[in-house]
């Protein structure tokens, strides 16, 4: 398994600002993922972040809006840029370890 | 595009009842994972099934992977309020592939 922490756990932000979410893992992992979960909904994959390469974004998500950093094998950040109320959601970091995927506790973002 | 359909979407039962949640697809998956997510938390992995026809038991929870690896079920015996949460199934194709998630089943167990 893997123990994953995220910061902040929640935040309330104003429209037009940006927020950077941090994800820390207790072991080295190759593949990390960022998901979005809107209220009452399932998980939608934003991007896959592998160390040493550019993040791979899913359809509907772009680097300018959701820039991702992956400086080493235990850490990643996701920035939500130029936020609007539609970005209000839970953002989840996830890692692949031994063919199984584990999730952080999530960051609950509210944009006003 | 691979899709996973979960049913029911919402289930409200009394403590002590049994229930089954289904996860179906027209596509074949190499493995399927079940998660439980409680309010304010991230999903927690319950089990991974990889072999067609496989049955795994985790205390009062029984997971089954269909013979054709297109569907799965989760059966809970004598449900307890602590079982309340969102149950998500997710399919993978290959060890390092991304997961396809179902929309989830929201379970509410009342005392």
């Amino acid at each position: 398994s893997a123990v994953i922490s995220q910061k902040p756990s929640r935040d309330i932000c104003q429209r037009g600002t940006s927020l950077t979410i941090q994800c820390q893992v207790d072991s080295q992992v190759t593949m990390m993922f960022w998901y979005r979960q809107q209220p009452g909904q399932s998980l939608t994959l934003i991007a896959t972040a592998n160390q040493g390469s550019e993040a791979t974004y899913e359809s509907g998500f772009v680097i300018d809006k959701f820039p991702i950093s992956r400086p080493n094998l235990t850490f990643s950040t996701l920035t939500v840029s130029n936020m609007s109320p539609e970005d209000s959601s839970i953002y989840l970091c996830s890692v692949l370890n031994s063919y199984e995927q584990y999730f952080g506790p999530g960051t609950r973002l509210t944009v006003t | 595009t691979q899709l996973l359909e979960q049913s029911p979407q919402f289930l409200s039962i009394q403590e002590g009842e049994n229930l089954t949640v289904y996860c179906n697809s027209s596509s074949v998956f190499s493995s399927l994972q079940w998660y439980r997510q409680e309010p304010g938390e991230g999903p927690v992995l319950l089990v991974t099934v990889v072999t067609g026809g496989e049955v795994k038991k985790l205390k009062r929870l029984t997971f089954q992977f269909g013979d054709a690896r297109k569907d799965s079920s989760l059966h809970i015996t004598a449900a307890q309020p602590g079982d309340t949460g969102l149950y998500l199934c997710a399919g993978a194709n290959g060890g390092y592939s991304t997961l396809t998630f179902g929309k989830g089943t929201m379970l509410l167990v009342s005392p």
Side-chain angles (χ1 to χ4, degrees):
Chain A
S1 66
V3 178
I4 304 167
S5 60
Q6 285 185 234
K7 289 182 182 179
S9 58
R10 58 178 62 229
D11 207 341
I12 301 173
C13 300
Q14 289 196 332
R15 180 195 300 261
T17 63
S18 298
L19 176 71
T20 295
I21 302 168
Q22 298 179 4
C23 176
Q24 181 75 52
V25 189
D26 69 340
S27 58
Q28 294 185 336
V29 293
T30 302
M31 297 183 76
M32 294 181 77
F33 309 91
W34 286 97
Y35 287 83
R36 182 172 72 184
Q37 185 177 29
Q38 293 178 311
Q41 302 295 316
S42 187
L43 280 66
T44 301
L45 181 64
I46 297 172
T48 301
N50 294 334
Q51 195 267 338
S53 63
E54 295 277 335
T56 303
Y57 290 83
E58 298 298 304
S59 175
F61 298 97
V62 295
I63 187 171
D64 290 346
K65 175 68 175 177
F66 297 101
I68 288 171
S69 78
R70 182 78 200 275
N72 57 53
L73 291 174
T74 63
F75 187 79
S76 178
T77 66
L78 169 75
T79 299
V80 186
S81 304
N82 188 25
M83 287 184 284
S84 66
E86 292 71 36
D87 294 320
S88 296
S89 193
I90 299 172
Y91 291 85
L92 294 152
C93 169
S94 175
V95 304
L96 189 66
N97 191 353
S98 300
Y99 303 110
E100 294 181 328
Q101 204 161 328
Y102 299 89
F103 287 84
T107 295
R108 184 179 295 271
L109 171 62
T110 302
V111 184
T112 60
Chain B
T1 303
Q2 294 181 308
L3 293 174
L4 278 169
E5 301 280 346
Q6 284 190 245
S7 62
Q9 288 185 315
F10 183 77
L11 191 56
S12 180
I13 61 172
Q14 295 293 121
E15 181 175 5
E17 293 184 27
N18 302 332
L19 67 115
T20 302
V21 174
Y22 299 93
C23 177
N24 296 302
S25 176
S26 58
S27 304
V28 175
F29 290 97
S30 62
S31 67
L32 198 136
Q33 300 179 9
W34 283 94
Y35 294 84
R36 179 172 65 218
Q37 183 178 23
E38 298 182 24
E41 303 289 331
V44 175
L45 179 64
L46 296 174
V47 78
T48 300
V49 286
V50 296
T51 305
E54 180 177 6
V55 176
K56 279 191 175 179
K57 291 195 173 185
L58 187 67
K59 297 183 180 178
R60 293 177 294 100
L61 278 60
T62 302
F63 304 86
Q64 185 163 7
F65 202 12
D67 291 341
R69 290 186 286 127
K70 292 182 180 181
D71 55 86
S72 180
S73 64
L74 158 60
H75 182 80
I76 300 179
T77 304
Q80 299 177 0
D83 296 327
T84 293
L86 178 67
Y87 288 81
L88 294 158
C89 68
N93 266 317
Y96 293 102
S97 69
T98 57
L99 292 176
T100 299
F101 276 88
K103 292 191 175 183
T105 293
M106 185 64 219
L107 172 65
L108 175 63
V109 183
S110 302

